[in-house]
Amino acid sequence: QVQLVESGGGSVQAGGSLRLACAASQLNFYSEHCMGWFRQAPGEEREGVAFITTGYGSTAYADSVKGRFTISQDHAKSTVFLQMNSLKPEDTAMYYCAANRGCLYGLRDRRGYQYWGRGTQVTVSS
């Protein structure tokens, strides 16, 4: 049973940085799985922000965060990180970590993400 626990959220001024972490239990990062960060703001749909394949480290980003956010992983600790720089007020949202065992449907397709964390709030003030 895969469990995901996010941490690192908080409140920051525009232009600041935050580093989120997602600890995954019962998921071997030395095998090929997909991990993703999603976010959802009030009144908006949940969107994929950043993705990584655990086995090879391939990454993908939403256009809105490309160049500002970086996803990475620690294989030994089965942990995924999201470094968020140059934060903007529009980045304010609940951020969720999700896991796709075996990368079913591919890296970006939400259908494959069966396991979800409870989320961590990120608030960016102007």
Side-chain angles (χ1 to χ4, degrees):
Q1 179 72 19
V2 176
Q3 294 186 5
L4 307 174
V5 180
E6 304 101 329
S7 62
S11 182
V12 66
Q13 292 183 331
S17 298
L18 286 172
R19 182 176 172 85
L20 307 183
C22 171
S25 66
Q26 302 299 310
L27 193 67
N28 183 3
F29 276 29
Y30 295 103
S31 297
E32 189 71 348
H33 306 292
C34 290
M35 298 291 296
W37 286 99
F38 297 77
R39 68 185 182 187
Q40 187 169 25
E44 299 182 9
E45 295 185 2
R46 187 169 299 187
E47 63 174 340
V49 175
F51 306 89
I52 189 168
T53 64
T54 59
Y56 290 97
S58 300
T59 59
Y61 299 90
D63 289 341
S64 59
V65 307
K66 193 172 184 179
R68 299 188 297 120
F69 291 10
T70 302
I71 188 170
S72 61
Q73 64 185 322
D74 184 328
H75 287 85
K77 296 182 178 180
S78 294
T79 300
V80 175
F81 304 94
L82 185 67
Q83 179 67 46
M84 304 184 293
N85 297 327
S86 301
L87 283 163
K88 305 174 181 179
E90 50 263 45
D91 294 318
T92 296
M94 184 72 72
Y95 283 71
Y96 299 91
C97 178
N100 177 352
R101 186 188 290 274
C103 290
L104 301 180
Y105 300 101
L107 183 62
R108 293 177 175 270
D109 198 316
R110 193 178 302 178
R111 291 178 297 173
Y113 287 87
Q114 294 181 302
Y115 307 99
W116 294 80
R118 292 187 176 184
T120 185
Q121 179 67 40
V122 172
T123 302
V124 184
S125 62
S126 60

